[in-house]
Amino acid sequence: MSEKKPLTNTRESKIAHGYVEGYASEILVGDVLLKIPPDVNYTPESNGRVVPGKADQITFGLRYPDIEPEDSVNLVVIKVRRGFEDPGFSRNRIDRETWVDIKDLNDLGLTEYRKNTKSTAHGYVMYTPVEGVVRTPKGGPIIYSCQGNYLRVVSCYTGFELQDGLYVEYIFPYALIENWRKIQVDVQKFVAEMGGM
């Protein structure tokens, strides 16, 4: 009889991945061993059979109650998985699109790109740091791909390779866009401190 795989985002799934309450968790993501402190909440996910000490992806959350007191708009969701960054592909993503409006938002330090579309899927609005001053750890451009509803932009996400084979992506509510620099630094530091660098 085959064992039933525990449901993702359950205590049973965490335990199956090697979680022991009160102790740091060591989980291999790709070829990188992350050491997750006991006070950090996380959700491990495996596509196939669950193996203790390994995961295909781990999800974390960082809250910013000092910036936004409302819980629904102060959470940055971080996903760590095996993957690679292709700076050329990222830059081409901006260059190959047709934008109806491009403007520098100097107060934010970002350039905004908008499509003339009724779609509000990720990428209908994009942002990059003005003049590319801020880059990913591998030297590629930071590009925020945003989605929304028909009234406004709701959330933005980006991703980068922190070290060979370890890809980090994060999504945050648009209400935090003014704090993009701080969030980028915090996310890098958060993962790096667990051994992601």
Side-chain angles (χ1 to χ4, degrees):
M1 187 165 80
S2 66
E3 274 185 45
K4 189 174 179 184
K5 182 177 170 182
L7 295 174
T8 300
N9 203 15
T10 63
R11 182 171 172 75
E12 291 75 24
S13 177
K14 279 179 79 167
I15 290 169
H17 281 89
Y19 171 78
V20 178
E21 190 166 343
Y23 291 89
S25 297
E26 292 190 356
I27 300 182
L28 195 63
V29 177
D31 297 327
V32 178
L33 183 65
L34 297 180
K35 296 178 182 178
I36 306 167
D39 60 337
V40 172
N41 192 20
Y42 67 95
T43 302
E45 295 176 50
S46 292
N47 296 326
R49 185 172 65 90
V50 174
V51 176
K54 289 186 176 184
D56 292 316
Q57 177 173 282
I58 302 176
T59 303
F60 303 95
L62 279 181
R63 289 211 173 267
Y64 287 89
D66 52 325
I67 297 171
E68 276 289 340
E70 182 70 38
D71 274 354
S72 64
V73 290
N74 70 14
L75 178 66
V76 176
V77 176
I78 304 165
K79 295 183 181 220
V80 179
R81 60 178 167 79
R82 182 182 187 141
F84 300 91
E85 175 183 334
D86 179 350
F89 175 80
S90 299
R91 185 65 243 174
N92 287 339
R93 204 168 160 208
I94 294 287
D95 295 340
R96 73 174 177 255
E97 296 288 348
T98 302
W99 306 103
V100 295
D101 190 25
I102 301 172
K103 60 184 169 192
D104 286 341
L105 306 174
N106 293 322
D107 54 329
L108 291 180
L110 295 171
T111 299
E112 179 185 81
Y113 301 82
R114 284 190 177 264
K115 289 182 186 176
N116 184 16
T117 178
K118 293 186 182 203
S119 167
T120 55
H122 272 290
Y124 90 104
V125 175
M126 294 179 124
Y127 295 93
T128 60
V130 175
E131 298 177 17
V133 176
V134 181
R135 305 195 72 72
T136 69
K138 290 283 187 178
I142 294 174
I143 298 176
Y144 295 103
S145 179
C146 304
Q147 72 175 7
N149 55 37
Y150 292 102
L151 300 175
R152 60 189 169 83
V153 177
V154 174
S155 64
C156 299
Y157 84 93
T158 192
F160 57 89
E161 188 177 353
L162 188 56
Q163 66 163 295
D164 289 344
L166 187 70
Y167 195 78
V168 178
E169 69 180 18
Y170 62 92
I171 185 167
F172 59 92
Y174 185 74
L176 298 178
I177 192 73
E178 292 179 15
N179 302 281
W180 67 269
R181 287 183 187 91
K182 175 176 175 42
I183 292 169
Q184 176 72 21
V185 168
D186 289 352
V187 168
Q188 283 182 218
K189 182 179 176 194
F190 178 78
V191 179
E193 285 178 350
M194 289 185 281
M197 197 151 181

Short mmCIF file of all heavy atoms in Angstrom, two decimals, residues 142-189:
data_model
loop_
_atom_site.label_atom_id
_atom_site.label_comp_id
_atom_site.label_asym_id
_atom_site.label_seq_id
_atom_site.Cartn_x
_atom_site.Cartn_y
_atom_site.Cartn_z
N ILE A 142 16.44 44.39 -12.07
CA ILE A 142 15.27 44.09 -11.24
C ILE A 142 14.06 44.56 -12.03
O ILE A 142 13.99 45.70 -12.48
CB ILE A 142 15.34 44.80 -9.88
CG1 ILE A 142 16.49 44.24 -9.06
CG2 ILE A 142 14.02 44.66 -9.13
CD1 ILE A 142 16.74 44.96 -7.76
N ILE A 143 13.11 43.66 -12.23
CA ILE A 143 11.89 44.00 -12.96
C ILE A 143 10.71 43.54 -12.13
O ILE A 143 10.59 42.37 -11.79
CB ILE A 143 11.85 43.33 -14.34
CG1 ILE A 143 13.03 43.82 -15.19
CG2 ILE A 143 10.53 43.60 -15.04
CD1 ILE A 143 13.15 43.15 -16.54
N TYR A 144 9.85 44.50 -11.80
CA TYR A 144 8.62 44.18 -11.07
C TYR A 144 7.50 44.03 -12.08
O TYR A 144 7.19 44.96 -12.83
CB TYR A 144 8.29 45.28 -10.06
CG TYR A 144 9.31 45.39 -8.96
CD1 TYR A 144 10.26 46.41 -8.97
CD2 TYR A 144 9.35 44.45 -7.93
CE1 TYR A 144 11.21 46.49 -7.97
CE2 TYR A 144 10.31 44.53 -6.94
CZ TYR A 144 11.24 45.56 -6.96
OH TYR A 144 12.19 45.63 -5.98
N SER A 145 6.90 42.87 -12.10
CA SER A 145 5.76 42.57 -12.97
C SER A 145 4.51 42.65 -12.09
O SER A 145 4.42 41.97 -11.07
CB SER A 145 5.91 41.17 -13.56
OG SER A 145 4.82 40.85 -14.37
N CYS A 146 3.57 43.50 -12.48
CA CYS A 146 2.42 43.77 -11.61
C CYS A 146 1.10 43.32 -12.24
O CYS A 146 0.96 43.26 -13.45
CB CYS A 146 2.35 45.26 -11.30
SG CYS A 146 3.88 45.89 -10.55
N GLN A 147 0.16 43.02 -11.38
CA GLN A 147 -1.19 42.67 -11.80
C GLN A 147 -2.17 43.53 -11.03
O GLN A 147 -1.81 44.17 -10.04
CB GLN A 147 -1.47 41.19 -11.58
CG GLN A 147 -1.66 40.80 -10.13
CD GLN A 147 -2.06 39.33 -10.00
OE1 GLN A 147 -2.10 38.60 -10.96
NE2 GLN A 147 -2.38 38.93 -8.79
N GLY A 148 -3.40 43.53 -11.48
CA GLY A 148 -4.38 44.35 -10.80
C GLY A 148 -5.79 43.94 -11.11
O GLY A 148 -6.04 42.84 -11.58
N ASN A 149 -6.68 44.87 -10.83
CA ASN A 149 -8.06 44.70 -11.25
C ASN A 149 -8.36 45.88 -12.17
O ASN A 149 -7.45 46.61 -12.55
CB ASN A 149 -9.00 44.63 -10.04
CG ASN A 149 -8.87 45.83 -9.12
OD1 ASN A 149 -8.66 46.96 -9.59
ND2 ASN A 149 -8.96 45.62 -7.83
N TYR A 150 -9.58 46.10 -12.53
CA TYR A 150 -9.86 47.16 -13.50
C TYR A 150 -9.78 48.56 -12.90
O TYR A 150 -9.85 49.54 -13.62
CB TYR A 150 -11.21 46.90 -14.16
CG TYR A 150 -11.15 45.68 -15.04
CD1 TYR A 150 -11.67 44.47 -14.60
CD2 TYR A 150 -10.51 45.73 -16.26
CE1 TYR A 150 -11.57 43.33 -15.38
CE2 TYR A 150 -10.40 44.60 -17.06
CZ TYR A 150 -10.93 43.40 -16.61
OH TYR A 150 -10.81 42.29 -17.39
N LEU A 151 -9.55 48.64 -11.60
CA LEU A 151 -9.46 49.95 -10.95
C LEU A 151 -8.02 50.37 -10.67
O LEU A 151 -7.68 51.53 -10.73
CB LEU A 151 -10.25 49.94 -9.63
CG LEU A 151 -11.74 49.63 -9.76
CD1 LEU A 151 -12.38 49.52 -8.38
CD2 LEU A 151 -12.44 50.70 -10.59
N ARG A 152 -7.16 49.37 -10.34
CA ARG A 152 -5.80 49.75 -9.91
C ARG A 152 -4.87 48.54 -9.92
O ARG A 152 -5.30 47.41 -10.04
CB ARG A 152 -5.86 50.32 -8.49
CG ARG A 152 -6.41 49.34 -7.48
CD ARG A 152 -6.68 50.01 -6.12
NE ARG A 152 -7.44 49.14 -5.26
CZ ARG A 152 -6.94 48.16 -4.52
NH1 ARG A 152 -5.65 47.94 -4.52
NH2 ARG A 152 -7.71 47.41 -3.76
N VAL A 153 -3.57 48.83 -9.75
CA VAL A 153 -2.56 47.80 -9.58
C VAL A 153 -2.72 47.25 -8.16
O VAL A 153 -2.90 48.01 -7.21
CB VAL A 153 -1.14 48.37 -9.77
CG1 VAL A 153 -0.09 47.30 -9.52
CG2 VAL A 153 -0.99 48.97 -11.16
N VAL A 154 -2.67 45.93 -8.03
CA VAL A 154 -2.90 45.29 -6.73
C VAL A 154 -1.61 44.72 -6.13
O VAL A 154 -1.34 44.89 -4.94
CB VAL A 154 -3.96 44.17 -6.84
CG1 VAL A 154 -4.11 43.42 -5.53
CG2 VAL A 154 -5.29 44.77 -7.27
N SER A 155 -0.80 44.04 -6.95
CA SER A 155 0.41 43.41 -6.42
C SER A 155 1.49 43.36 -7.49
O SER A 155 1.22 43.47 -8.68
CB SER A 155 0.11 42.00 -5.92
OG SER A 155 -0.31 41.18 -6.99
N CYS A 156 2.74 43.20 -7.03
CA CYS A 156 3.89 43.11 -7.92
C CYS A 156 4.80 41.98 -7.47
O CYS A 156 4.85 41.68 -6.28
CB CYS A 156 4.68 44.41 -7.92
SG CYS A 156 3.74 45.86 -8.48
N TYR A 157 5.49 41.37 -8.43
CA TYR A 157 6.45 40.35 -8.05
C TYR A 157 7.72 40.48 -8.88
O TYR A 157 7.74 41.10 -9.94
CB TYR A 157 5.86 38.94 -8.17
CG TYR A 157 5.92 38.33 -9.55
CD1 TYR A 157 6.98 37.53 -9.93
CD2 TYR A 157 4.91 38.56 -10.47
CE1 TYR A 157 7.04 36.98 -11.20
CE2 TYR A 157 4.95 38.01 -11.74
CZ TYR A 157 6.03 37.22 -12.10
OH TYR A 157 6.09 36.68 -13.35
N THR A 158 8.79 39.91 -8.35
CA THR A 158 10.07 39.84 -9.05
C THR A 158 10.80 38.61 -8.57
O THR A 158 10.37 37.95 -7.61
CB THR A 158 10.90 41.13 -8.82
OG1 THR A 158 11.99 41.15 -9.74
CG2 THR A 158 11.42 41.23 -7.39
N GLY A 159 11.91 38.31 -9.21
CA GLY A 159 12.71 37.18 -8.80
C GLY A 159 14.16 37.38 -9.16
O GLY A 159 14.49 38.19 -10.03
N PHE A 160 15.03 36.62 -8.49
CA PHE A 160 16.46 36.72 -8.76
C PHE A 160 17.15 35.46 -8.25
O PHE A 160 16.64 34.75 -7.39
CB PHE A 160 17.06 37.95 -8.07
CG PHE A 160 16.83 37.99 -6.58
CD1 PHE A 160 17.73 37.40 -5.70
CD2 PHE A 160 15.70 38.60 -6.05
CE1 PHE A 160 17.51 37.42 -4.32
CE2 PHE A 160 15.47 38.63 -4.68
CZ PHE A 160 16.38 38.03 -3.81
N GLU A 161 18.32 35.20 -8.82
CA GLU A 161 19.14 34.08 -8.36
C GLU A 161 20.05 34.61 -7.26
O GLU A 161 20.84 35.52 -7.49
CB GLU A 161 19.95 33.52 -9.53
CG GLU A 161 20.68 32.25 -9.19
CD GLU A 161 21.42 31.68 -10.40
OE1 GLU A 161 21.25 32.22 -11.53
OE2 GLU A 161 22.17 30.73 -10.20
N LEU A 162 19.92 34.04 -6.08
CA LEU A 162 20.73 34.50 -4.95
C LEU A 162 22.12 33.89 -5.00
O LEU A 162 23.11 34.53 -4.72
CB LEU A 162 20.04 34.18 -3.63
CG LEU A 162 20.68 34.77 -2.39
CD1 LEU A 162 20.82 36.28 -2.48
CD2 LEU A 162 19.88 34.41 -1.15
N GLN A 163 22.20 32.63 -5.31
CA GLN A 163 23.47 31.96 -5.55
C GLN A 163 23.21 30.87 -6.57
O GLN A 163 22.07 30.62 -6.94
CB GLN A 163 24.08 31.40 -4.27
CG GLN A 163 23.30 30.28 -3.63
CD GLN A 163 24.13 29.52 -2.62
OE1 GLN A 163 25.10 28.89 -3.00
NE2 GLN A 163 23.75 29.60 -1.38
N ASP A 164 24.26 30.20 -7.02
CA ASP A 164 24.10 29.23 -8.10
C ASP A 164 22.98 28.25 -7.82
O ASP A 164 23.04 27.47 -6.87
CB ASP A 164 25.41 28.47 -8.34
CG ASP A 164 26.47 29.35 -8.97
OD1 ASP A 164 26.09 30.43 -9.50
OD2 ASP A 164 27.65 28.99 -8.94
N GLY A 165 21.96 28.31 -8.65
CA GLY A 165 20.87 27.34 -8.58
C GLY A 165 19.79 27.63 -7.56
O GLY A 165 18.82 26.89 -7.48
N LEU A 166 19.91 28.70 -6.77
CA LEU A 166 18.88 29.03 -5.78
C LEU A 166 18.14 30.28 -6.23
O LEU A 166 18.72 31.38 -6.27
CB LEU A 166 19.47 29.25 -4.39
CG LEU A 166 18.43 29.42 -3.29
CD1 LEU A 166 17.71 28.10 -3.03
CD2 LEU A 166 19.07 29.91 -2.00
N TYR A 167 16.87 30.12 -6.60
CA TYR A 167 16.08 31.22 -7.12
C TYR A 167 15.09 31.69 -6.07
O TYR A 167 14.43 30.88 -5.41
CB TYR A 167 15.33 30.77 -8.38
CG TYR A 167 14.77 31.92 -9.17
CD1 TYR A 167 15.60 32.68 -9.99
CD2 TYR A 167 13.43 32.25 -9.10
CE1 TYR A 167 15.09 33.75 -10.72
CE2 TYR A 167 12.92 33.32 -9.84
CZ TYR A 167 13.76 34.06 -10.65
OH TYR A 167 13.26 35.12 -11.37
N VAL A 168 15.01 32.99 -5.90
CA VAL A 168 14.13 33.61 -4.92
C VAL A 168 13.16 34.51 -5.67
O VAL A 168 13.57 35.35 -6.47
CB VAL A 168 14.94 34.47 -3.91
CG1 VAL A 168 14.02 35.14 -2.90
CG2 VAL A 168 16.00 33.63 -3.22
N GLU A 169 11.86 34.32 -5.43
CA GLU A 169 10.90 35.27 -5.98
C GLU A 169 10.01 35.75 -4.84
O GLU A 169 9.82 35.05 -3.85
CB GLU A 169 10.11 34.69 -7.14
CG GLU A 169 9.15 33.61 -6.82
CD GLU A 169 8.41 33.10 -8.07
OE1 GLU A 169 8.88 33.33 -9.20
OE2 GLU A 169 7.38 32.47 -7.89
N TYR A 170 9.54 36.96 -4.98
CA TYR A 170 8.65 37.48 -3.95
C TYR A 170 7.57 38.34 -4.57
O TYR A 170 7.74 38.93 -5.63
CB TYR A 170 9.43 38.23 -2.87
CG TYR A 170 10.19 39.46 -3.31
CD1 TYR A 170 9.60 40.73 -3.27
CD2 TYR A 170 11.51 39.37 -3.73
CE1 TYR A 170 10.30 41.86 -3.65
CE2 TYR A 170 12.22 40.50 -4.11
CZ TYR A 170 11.62 41.74 -4.08
OH TYR A 170 12.30 42.86 -4.46
N ILE A 171 6.44 38.35 -3.89
CA ILE A 171 5.29 39.13 -4.32
C ILE A 171 4.84 39.99 -3.14
O ILE A 171 4.89 39.55 -1.99
CB ILE A 171 4.15 38.21 -4.83
CG1 ILE A 171 3.00 39.04 -5.40
CG2 ILE A 171 3.66 37.26 -3.75
CD1 ILE A 171 2.00 38.22 -6.21
N PHE A 172 4.45 41.21 -3.44
CA PHE A 172 4.03 42.12 -2.37
C PHE A 172 2.86 42.98 -2.83
O PHE A 172 2.71 43.23 -4.03
CB PHE A 172 5.20 43.00 -1.89
CG PHE A 172 5.81 43.86 -2.97
CD1 PHE A 172 5.36 45.15 -3.20
CD2 PHE A 172 6.85 43.37 -3.76
CE1 PHE A 172 5.93 45.94 -4.19
CE2 PHE A 172 7.42 44.15 -4.74
CZ PHE A 172 6.96 45.44 -4.96
N PRO A 173 2.05 43.45 -1.89
CA PRO A 173 0.94 44.33 -2.24
C PRO A 173 1.48 45.65 -2.81
O PRO A 173 2.50 46.17 -2.34
CB PRO A 173 0.22 44.58 -0.92
CG PRO A 173 0.67 43.49 -0.02
CD PRO A 173 2.05 43.15 -0.45
N TYR A 174 0.79 46.18 -3.79
CA TYR A 174 1.22 47.44 -4.42
C TYR A 174 1.33 48.57 -3.39
O TYR A 174 2.12 49.49 -3.58
CB TYR A 174 0.26 47.82 -5.54
CG TYR A 174 0.71 49.04 -6.30
CD1 TYR A 174 1.77 48.95 -7.20
CD2 TYR A 174 0.10 50.27 -6.12
CE1 TYR A 174 2.21 50.06 -7.89
CE2 TYR A 174 0.52 51.39 -6.81
CZ TYR A 174 1.58 51.28 -7.70
OH TYR A 174 2.01 52.39 -8.39
N ALA A 175 0.60 48.47 -2.30
CA ALA A 175 0.67 49.50 -1.26
C ALA A 175 2.09 49.66 -0.71
O ALA A 175 2.42 50.70 -0.13
CB ALA A 175 -0.29 49.16 -0.12
N LEU A 176 2.95 48.66 -0.91
CA LEU A 176 4.33 48.72 -0.40
C LEU A 176 5.34 49.16 -1.46
O LEU A 176 6.54 49.16 -1.19
CB LEU A 176 4.74 47.35 0.15
CG LEU A 176 3.95 46.80 1.33
CD1 LEU A 176 4.45 45.41 1.70
CD2 LEU A 176 4.02 47.73 2.53
N ILE A 177 4.90 49.54 -2.66
CA ILE A 177 5.82 49.83 -3.77
C ILE A 177 6.83 50.91 -3.42
O ILE A 177 7.97 50.87 -3.87
CB ILE A 177 5.06 50.18 -5.07
CG1 ILE A 177 6.00 50.18 -6.28
CG2 ILE A 177 4.33 51.51 -4.95
CD1 ILE A 177 6.44 48.85 -6.76
N GLU A 178 6.44 51.89 -2.61
CA GLU A 178 7.38 52.95 -2.24
C GLU A 178 8.58 52.40 -1.47
O GLU A 178 9.62 53.04 -1.40
CB GLU A 178 6.68 54.01 -1.39
CG GLU A 178 5.66 54.82 -2.14
CD GLU A 178 4.98 55.85 -1.26
OE1 GLU A 178 5.47 56.14 -0.16
OE2 GLU A 178 3.95 56.37 -1.70
N ASN A 179 8.42 51.22 -0.90
CA ASN A 179 9.47 50.61 -0.08
C ASN A 179 10.21 49.49 -0.81
O ASN A 179 10.81 48.62 -0.19
CB ASN A 179 8.83 50.06 1.20
CG ASN A 179 8.13 51.15 1.97
OD1 ASN A 179 8.75 51.94 2.68
ND2 ASN A 179 6.83 51.23 1.80
N TRP A 180 10.19 49.52 -2.14
CA TRP A 180 10.77 48.43 -2.93
C TRP A 180 12.25 48.21 -2.61
O TRP A 180 12.71 47.07 -2.57
CB TRP A 180 10.54 48.66 -4.42
CG TRP A 180 11.27 49.84 -5.01
CD1 TRP A 180 10.80 51.11 -5.12
CD2 TRP A 180 12.59 49.84 -5.56
NE1 TRP A 180 11.76 51.92 -5.70
CE2 TRP A 180 12.86 51.15 -5.99
CE3 TRP A 180 13.56 48.86 -5.75
CZ2 TRP A 180 14.06 51.53 -6.58
CZ3 TRP A 180 14.77 49.22 -6.34
CH2 TRP A 180 15.01 50.55 -6.76
N ARG A 181 13.01 49.28 -2.40
CA ARG A 181 14.45 49.12 -2.09
C ARG A 181 14.64 48.34 -0.79
O ARG A 181 15.44 47.40 -0.73
CB ARG A 181 15.13 50.48 -1.96
CG ARG A 181 15.34 51.22 -3.24
CD ARG A 181 16.10 52.53 -2.97
NE ARG A 181 16.20 53.36 -4.13
CZ ARG A 181 15.33 54.29 -4.47
NH1 ARG A 181 14.25 54.49 -3.75
NH2 ARG A 181 15.51 55.02 -5.55
N LYS A 182 13.93 48.74 0.25
CA LYS A 182 14.03 48.07 1.54
C LYS A 182 13.61 46.61 1.43
O LYS A 182 14.27 45.72 1.98
CB LYS A 182 13.17 48.80 2.58
CG LYS A 182 13.11 48.11 3.94
CD LYS A 182 12.32 48.92 4.94
CE LYS A 182 12.14 48.21 6.26
NZ LYS A 182 13.30 47.52 6.78
N ILE A 183 12.53 46.36 0.72
CA ILE A 183 12.03 44.99 0.57
C ILE A 183 13.06 44.13 -0.16
O ILE A 183 13.35 43.01 0.27
CB ILE A 183 10.67 44.98 -0.15
CG1 ILE A 183 9.60 45.62 0.75
CG2 ILE A 183 10.27 43.57 -0.53
CD1 ILE A 183 8.29 45.91 0.06
N GLN A 184 13.66 44.64 -1.23
CA GLN A 184 14.67 43.87 -1.98
C GLN A 184 15.83 43.51 -1.06
O GLN A 184 16.26 42.36 -1.02
CB GLN A 184 15.17 44.67 -3.19
CG GLN A 184 16.30 44.01 -3.97
CD GLN A 184 15.89 42.81 -4.78
OE1 GLN A 184 14.72 42.62 -5.11
NE2 GLN A 184 16.85 41.96 -5.13
N VAL A 185 16.34 44.47 -0.29
CA VAL A 185 17.45 44.22 0.63
C VAL A 185 17.04 43.23 1.71
O VAL A 185 17.77 42.28 2.02
CB VAL A 185 17.94 45.56 1.27
CG1 VAL A 185 18.88 45.30 2.43
CG2 VAL A 185 18.60 46.43 0.22
N ASP A 186 15.85 43.41 2.28
CA ASP A 186 15.37 42.53 3.35
C ASP A 186 15.19 41.09 2.88
O ASP A 186 15.55 40.15 3.59
CB ASP A 186 14.04 43.04 3.93
CG ASP A 186 14.20 44.31 4.74
OD1 ASP A 186 15.34 44.74 5.00
OD2 ASP A 186 13.15 44.88 5.11
N VAL A 187 14.63 40.92 1.69
CA VAL A 187 14.41 39.57 1.16
C VAL A 187 15.75 38.87 0.92
O VAL A 187 15.94 37.72 1.32
CB VAL A 187 13.56 39.60 -0.14
CG1 VAL A 187 13.57 38.25 -0.83
CG2 VAL A 187 12.13 40.02 0.18
N GLN A 188 16.70 39.57 0.31
CA GLN A 188 18.03 38.98 0.08
C GLN A 188 18.67 38.58 1.40
O GLN A 188 19.20 37.47 1.52
CB GLN A 188 18.94 39.98 -0.64
CG GLN A 188 18.66 40.12 -2.09
CD GLN A 188 19.61 41.08 -2.77
OE1 GLN A 188 19.19 41.81 -3.66
NE2 GLN A 188 20.87 41.12 -2.40
N LYS A 189 18.63 39.47 2.37
CA LYS A 189 19.25 39.21 3.67
C LYS A 189 18.56 38.04 4.38
O LYS A 189 19.21 37.17 4.95
CB LYS A 189 19.18 40.48 4.53
CG LYS A 189 19.85 40.34 5.88
CD LYS A 189 19.77 41.64 6.65
CE LYS A 189 20.37 41.44 8.04
NZ LYS A 189 20.06 42.53 8.94
#
